[in-house]
Amino acid sequence: MARALAHIHPDAHCELDFTNPLELAVATILSAQCTDERVNQVTPKLFARCPTAAGYAAANRTEMQELIRPTGFFRNKTDSLIKLGQALVERHDGEVPGTLTELVALPGIGRKTANVILGNAFDVPGITVDTHFKRLTQRWRWTTETDEVKIEFAVAKLIEPRDWTMLSHRVIFHGRRVCHARKPACGACALRKDCPSYGIGPTDLETAIKLLKGPRAAELAELAMAS
């Protein structure tokens, strides 16, 4: 299934826009309970206003809240970003560290966020267990674990480390485009022959195709028909 995902989603990538580790860390914090698309609409102005960790450390709280308000939970997120900037300045000379231990010790950064940063900004393999990854790996019976960290460790035993980061992107892509939470497009899924949960969504091809999302929906349908 992991090999098939690479064929199904060759365009898989981190959908948060960033140019450096700090921007990715900030974008990932903002993505909590918010779509990547909405985050990407907000971050250009934020990144221009705060290009360095010192900028976040010294940011005006009211101004930042207004900047990031569309992402939701803006008060808590503002607090996290200011504290993150302060911690980076005080502990790491303003630079985002490149190890899991150092990252998870920073304000606003948990293990999931740390793996996003490591895998996409530092090319250090990491598995990102977000809601899509958790849902799909359970549907596929890759693991029976429900705790995010335990899911990460369980899947890590199944997949070569070099593939961890891209696997995360591919699973998330599949969750967003094909295997939806409420009504997965089972009949238009190229993984259907290997999926132990096949049938929890519409199996009729015509109905399932209408559920496919994203710019490659037509290609996903063709792959499903050919599989």
Side-chain angles (χ1 to χ4, degrees):
M1 293 179 79
R3 287 193 294 270
L5 282 169
H7 180 64
I8 297 167
H9 301 290
D11 58 330
H13 61 279
C14 177
E15 295 189 276
L16 291 170
D17 294 338
F18 70 97
T19 62
N20 58 54
L22 176 62
E23 289 183 355
L24 180 56
V26 169
T28 307
I29 289 173
L30 294 179
S31 71
Q33 303 299 312
C34 182
T35 64
D36 289 354
E37 182 179 6
R38 179 64 59 84
V39 172
N40 290 337
Q41 293 170 355
V42 168
T43 49
K45 287 184 179 180
L46 179 62
F47 293 164
R49 183 72 61 87
C50 301
T52 66
Y56 291 96
N60 178 281
R61 186 175 296 273
T62 301
E63 289 182 4
M64 181 169 288
Q65 286 181 359
E66 286 306 308
L67 274 174
I68 69 173
R69 181 183 289 270
T71 68
F73 302 97
F74 57 92
R75 292 185 180 87
N76 289 339
K77 291 178 180 179
T78 293
D79 191 54
S80 292
L81 293 181
I82 291 175
K83 288 181 177 178
L84 173 65
Q86 292 170 344
L88 289 175
V89 170
E90 293 169 4
R91 304 180 208 166
H92 302 285
D93 295 323
E95 299 297 323
V96 175
T99 70
L100 182 65
T101 301
E102 291 174 310
L103 284 169
V104 297
L106 293 169
I109 296 183
R111 191 177 181 91
K112 181 184 77 172
T113 300
N115 277 328
V116 171
I117 297 168
L118 289 173
N120 297 283
F122 292 103
D123 291 323
V124 175
I127 293 175
T128 301
V129 183
D130 74 343
T131 55
H132 299 290
F133 195 96
K134 181 177 181 178
R135 183 179 76 251
L136 268 60
T137 53
Q138 290 174 335
R139 276 183 178 172
W140 296 338
R141 314 257 173 90
W142 286 12
T143 178
T144 57
E145 300 290 353
T146 56
D147 176 78
E148 284 82 0
V149 176
K150 291 182 179 179
I151 291 172
E152 177 190 337
F153 290 163
V155 175
K157 293 179 181 179
L158 303 175
I159 306 296
E160 290 291 331
R162 66 174 180 271
D163 297 323
W164 288 351
T165 300
M166 286 309 303
L167 174 74
S168 300
H169 292 320
R170 292 162 186 157
V171 172
I172 292 169
F173 259 53
H174 203 71
R176 288 174 172 169
R177 290 154 174 76
V178 183
C179 196
H180 314 300
R182 296 183 180 178
K183 189 182 287 187
C186 290
C189 178
L191 295 177
R192 64 186 182 279
K193 293 180 181 178
D194 295 312
C195 182
S197 296
Y198 175 73
I200 64 173
T203 57
D204 173 69
L205 180 62
E206 185 175 348
T207 302
I209 284 177
K210 295 177 182 178
L211 298 174
L212 297 174
K213 296 181 179 180
R216 294 182 58 250
E219 290 179 59
L220 294 175
E222 291 177 4
L223 286 170
M225 288 186 283
S227 63

